[in-house]
Amino acid sequence: MKKDYEKQIQELRKQMTLEEKIGQLQQCGPSLVGAFEVSFEELLDMMFDGRITKEEFERLMGTARQDFHEEDLRAGKVGSYNGIGDAATANRLQKIAVEETRLGIPLLFGYDVIHGFRTVTPIPLAESCAWDPTLWEKTARVAAEEATAAGVHMTFAPMVDVAKDARWGRVSEGAGEDALLNSMYGAAKVKGFQGEDLAKEDSMAACVKHLAAYGAGEAGRDYNRVDLSLQRLWEEYLPPYKACIDAGARAVMPAFNDINGVPCSVNAWLLRDVLRKKWGFDGLVVSDSNAIAECVSHGIAQDKKDAARQAVLAGMDLDMSSNSYSAHLKELIESGEIPESILDEAVEDVLRIKFELGLFEHPYQTNETREQNTMLKLEYRAIALEAAEKSIVLLKNEDHILPLKPGTKLGVFGALAADRGQMTGAWAIGARPEDCISIVDALKTNNVQYQYSADGTDLSKIAAVSDVLIAAVGEMKEESGEAASRADITLKQEDMELVRALKATGKPVVAVLFNGRPLAIPELDRTVPAIVEAWHPGIYAGSAVMHVLFGITNPSGKLTTTFPAAAGQCPMYYAHPNTGRPGGKSKFTSKYLDAPTEPLYPFGYGLSYTDYTYEDLELEKGKDSLLVRVTVRNTGKKAGEEITQCYVQMPCAKRVRPVRELKAFAKTALKPGEARQVVLEIAYDSLGYYDWDMNWVSYEGKLNVFVGGNVRDTLEKELLLR
Ligand code: NOJ
């Protein structure tokens, strides 16, 4: 039961001076000072544009001192920190807040715990391919236990931005292209992060992001404009945020982008009408980094003062790093441009989450001993391995070349096969390369016979003594994530050259992909008989891949994102409308002259070392939901887990509907020869859409239902909905 702190919040707020109130709305991070004359951002630019090397950058960073703005903190001008992930620093700063400020209001520490803190689990896109809410919750719990031990109170996660464009680098941070999957993924994460009681020392508040539709940026370019019909926004993009709020998420981060011309940071419709009024959210709204000030660059605010005014009026509580509130709110209140009651609402939201987290009673929720004893526990590692294995998607396996027989001699190629640091992927701040197991590490510890070459040197020599060649190719961790959009998402030239050279030896080649987004890999698909999509799998990368290669684990992951056949198809996603001229043989149909209309690998797709068949699809109209029954049979020789998916199509509606919409799924363990009936439920409430005038219409008429192991290969049945 949620405890009611409203009386305490009001009492405390009434004691606060205007300056103290504004202080509570200021979130800052440690700034780097001392080692160089330029700002951190300029230094980063210098590295990216080649003025200094990566090594020089790292050396300078190593000598830099962190400024924690203690003087401001003492003066009551800081309410929250971002980016502090160690118990000693957190407690030192907390002590200043509690003992040296006039009212002793504790600090709130936020941190990007995206897919694990120290025990780094697969990137979210990978983990979503497990289609497994229990697993999603478990890995979030591990993240929360470790992060809270390091002093973190709130994570800037889950990210549930539906992402249909593979060019966008941040597809790696969410659960792919589907609203239902993102909703279920997000809700599970919220439960895992927050635990049963937010006040417990190992519970961490979830900050759902990025409200809204950050993944719909035009052309997949990060931070780009989002221009969407309201129907699409409500049907395809908003449901996951809402699902997280329904699951109890206590914080929300508005997105950097604008929606239909109004940046989310100052969008009163989004933050007040939708989030607060319609969805009943009463938690904390935290800006994205510097996002309030960036409304000036958007061209919607005259200056930072104007941006601060618009943001607070729109319902933005906490200013992350832009110093717009700290610099201007006082003047705005004193001049009467903003009523103090608006400021009070924001302050109350900050105090509320601090009460709910139990910070007033226990401001020091951890210590260095707990921190040391919590990281990388054995049970956490076991979960990380399970998650990595369940995230892997087998994309191709011609002639059953996989699994490899015990004793197979391997030739292993590609830098990614031995680079531990790359295995954690984007957004793994607490990761340490020494915690990670690469493919080469795993082969070595398990006494597999192998020879390794990072760049293909000695290729012929190695190939001559190997039975099978492994090519570890894909993306480095900086090539996906924030500010990592790519226009060409094919495999890099040097990777493809390596693969071609391996193929030329005549030995069978297995490609293992490490990447943070779907790639357009038609040539790879034509060239090699087997492809294992490992994504960026986290600390157990090498072990998980080795288990799959040798069949110790039967792969069960299925794509939550479509793999295009050409980069030019982007955005490529399964739930598209038909058009009046669906792609066909005739010229005047919706297609490309120089690329297929179909993807390379469809949504929901993934192979196994066994085979499954689907039989006896039955539909039954229940009271509140449609019941879909199907028999799934394991016809192969290995035990496995099959992910059964159910899609619908509304072939005639008042607004055109997608050719398929995912409505339910289930994961079933099946022994060889075993058959089970899988029952899927589709609530009637979910069988609807928005009409032209934005009224929700419950669908009536013929409904096509599709069930199978991916969106393309399905059984089909229709029924009449009245
Ligand atoms: C920017 C990113 O957009 C957001 O996802 C992240 O949480 C903040 N920076 C804080 O690091």
Side-chain angles (χ1 to χ4, degrees), residues 585-634:
K585 283 200 183 111
S586 128
K587 176 164 172 63
F588 296 100
T589 56
S590 181
K591 60 177 187 237
Y592 300 103
L593 290 177
D594 53 356
T597 333
E598 297 305 319
L600 184 61
Y601 308 118
F603 181 83
Y605 168 88
L607 302 172
S608 159
Y609 294 149
T610 192
D611 296 305
Y612 303 103
T613 57
Y614 283 84
E615 301 146 36
D616 302 330
L617 173 58
E618 287 164 21
L619 307 178
E620 185 195 320
K621 286 189 203 169
K623 192 167 157 282
D624 303 312
S625 54
L626 179 64
L627 296 171
V628 180
R629 296 194 181 86
V630 73
T631 301
V632 190
R633 189 181 301 278
N634 180 346

Side-chain angles (χ1 to χ4, degrees), residues 82 112 156 170 173 209-210 214 253 256 288-289 320 427 482:
N82 170 17
D112 286 287
F156 302 118
R170 301 193 83 168
E173 290 176 60
K209 67 190 188 185
H210 306 84
Y214 182 29
M253 181 185 287
F256 280 126
D288 203 338
S289 187
M320 184 194 285
W427 279 118
E482 189 177 350

Side-chain angles (χ1 to χ4, degrees), residues 432-645:
R432 302 194 187 167
E434 65 269 26
D435 296 341
C436 301
I437 297 172
S438 69
I439 296 187
V440 166
D441 293 331
L443 297 178
K444 204 181 288 172
T445 359
N446 288 279
N447 296 322
V448 176
Q449 290 195 55
Y450 76 95
Q451 303 230 20
Y452 173 60
S453 161
D455 56 4
T457 321
D458 290 335
L459 187 148
S460 306
K461 249 169 54 197
I462 296 178
V465 295
S466 307
D467 303 317
V468 171
L469 308 181
I470 306 288
V473 290
E475 293 184 311
M476 306 302 261
K477 62 181 182 190
E478 304 78 31
E479 289 173 304
S480 65
E482 189 177 350
S485 295
R486 292 177 60 194
D488 179 1
I489 54 161
T490 54
L491 211 53
K492 281 194 283 286
Q493 191 72 7
E494 62 266 30
D495 279 350
M496 215 39 244
E497 272 162 20
L498 173 68
V499 172
R500 286 187 210 118
L502 295 183
K503 160 126 172 152
T505 66
K507 290 283 164 81
V509 181
V510 175
V512 176
L513 288 170
F514 293 107
N515 47 310
R517 57 151 60 74
L519 296 170
I521 45 169
E523 186 184 347
L524 183 71
D525 181 71
R526 283 195 303 273
T527 313
V528 300
I531 305 176
V532 175
E533 175 54 90
W535 309 105
H536 289 134
I539 59 169
Y540 275 106
S543 320
V545 169
M546 194 199 74
H547 289 172
V548 165
L549 290 178
F550 283 93
I552 298 160
T553 300
N554 187 0
S556 59
K558 303 248 188 182
L559 297 178
T560 56
T561 179
T562 304
F563 269 52
Q569 290 178 325
C570 291
M572 179 63 152
Y573 51 90
Y574 82 92
H576 60 84
N578 228 350
T579 81
R581 295 183 169 190
K585 283 200 183 111
S586 128
K587 176 164 172 63
F588 296 100
T589 56
S590 181
K591 60 177 187 237
Y592 300 103
L593 290 177
D594 53 356
T597 333
E598 297 305 319
L600 184 61
Y601 308 118
F603 181 83
Y605 168 88
L607 302 172
S608 159
Y609 294 149
T610 192
D611 296 305
Y612 303 103
T613 57
Y614 283 84
E615 301 146 36
D616 302 330
L617 173 58
E618 287 164 21
L619 307 178
E620 185 195 320
K621 286 189 203 169
K623 192 167 157 282
D624 303 312
S625 54
L626 179 64
L627 296 171
V628 180
R629 296 194 181 86
V630 73
T631 301
V632 190
R633 189 181 301 278
N634 180 346
T635 57
K637 294 196 179 70
K638 254 186 175 279
E641 289 191 309
E642 167 69 340
I643 298 161
T644 301
Q645 303 147 45

Side-chain angles (χ1 to χ4, degrees), residues 163-464:
K164 304 183 194 231
D165 196 321
R167 293 170 295 181
W168 190 45
R170 301 193 83 168
V171 296
S172 61
E173 290 176 60
E177 70 185 54
D178 184 75
L180 176 69
L181 267 170
N182 272 282
S183 300
M184 295 183 66
Y185 168 86
K189 288 291 171 198
V190 169
K191 283 190 210 140
F193 290 144
Q194 297 196 161
E196 275 173 11
D197 175 3
L198 205 57
K200 277 187 69 185
E201 62 178 21
D202 63 3
S203 289
M204 155 168 97
C207 178
V208 179
K209 67 190 188 185
H210 306 84
L211 189 71
Y214 182 29
E218 205 165 85
R221 183 151 62 82
D222 209 356
Y223 318 120
N224 208 6
R225 75 182 300 191
V226 171
D227 199 88
L228 274 181
S229 70
L230 288 182
Q231 287 87 346
R232 280 196 85 187
L233 185 64
W234 281 94
E235 288 168 2
E236 299 173 30
Y237 290 92
L238 291 182
Y241 310 106
K242 164 80 162 53
C244 291
I245 286 156
D246 290 347
R250 297 307 291 140
V252 167
M253 181 185 287
F256 280 126
N257 54 277
D258 74 271
I259 294 184
N260 301 342
V262 181
C264 298
S265 303
V266 293
N267 195 322
W269 172 80
L270 188 65
L271 305 184
R272 289 202 184 275
D273 299 351
V274 176
L275 178 64
R276 302 256 183 220
K277 291 199 195 114
K278 209 169 164 59
W279 295 349
F281 178 71
D282 66 351
L284 180 71
V285 178
V286 189
S287 84
D288 203 338
S289 187
N290 203 42
I292 298 178
E294 286 167 17
C295 288
V296 180
S297 313
H298 271 292
I300 199 147
Q302 278 170 11
D303 48 27
K304 250 165 93 162
K305 181 177 166 192
D306 189 23
R309 183 186 63 81
Q310 293 190 38
V312 81
L313 287 173
M316 181 77 87
D317 297 326
L318 201 59
D319 176 1
M320 184 194 285
S321 317
S322 90
N323 300 328
S324 307
Y325 283 5
S326 58
H328 301 291
L329 281 187
K330 188 161 188 274
E331 202 186 329
L332 285 163
I333 300 278
E334 283 171 350
S335 66
E337 284 171 83
I338 294 175
E340 193 156 346
S341 58
I342 293 276
L343 181 77
D344 287 348
E345 284 174 12
V347 173
E348 285 168 16
D349 289 341
V350 176
L351 298 179
R352 184 172 303 110
I353 200 166
K354 291 183 175 180
F355 274 109
E356 289 174 352
L357 281 160
L359 295 175
F360 284 91
E361 279 171 59
H362 306 287
Y364 311 102
Q365 302 212 330
T366 187
N367 54 51
E368 286 164 81
T369 315
R370 181 181 154 213
E371 182 178 27
Q372 263 170 23
N373 295 341
T374 307
M375 301 302 152
L376 293 167
K377 283 186 190 170
L378 269 182
E379 69 246 42
Y380 297 169
R381 291 164 184 256
I383 293 172
L385 176 60
E386 180 194 347
E389 291 179 346
K390 289 185 168 167
S391 302
I392 291 177
V393 185
L394 181 61
L395 295 176
K396 188 175 178 191
N397 193 18
E398 219 169 69
D399 302 329
H400 298 288
I401 175 173
L402 293 176
L404 303 172
K405 289 188 195 68
T408 307
K409 290 189 206 116
L410 297 180
V412 181
F413 299 88
L416 283 164
D419 195 332
R420 297 179 182 145
Q422 290 299 327
M423 294 298 104
T424 53
W427 279 118
I429 314 176
R432 302 194 187 167
E434 65 269 26
D435 296 341
C436 301
I437 297 172
S438 69
I439 296 187
V440 166
D441 293 331
L443 297 178
K444 204 181 288 172
T445 359
N446 288 279
N447 296 322
V448 176
Q449 290 195 55
Y450 76 95
Q451 303 230 20
Y452 173 60
S453 161
D455 56 4
T457 321
D458 290 335
L459 187 148
S460 306
K461 249 169 54 197
I462 296 178

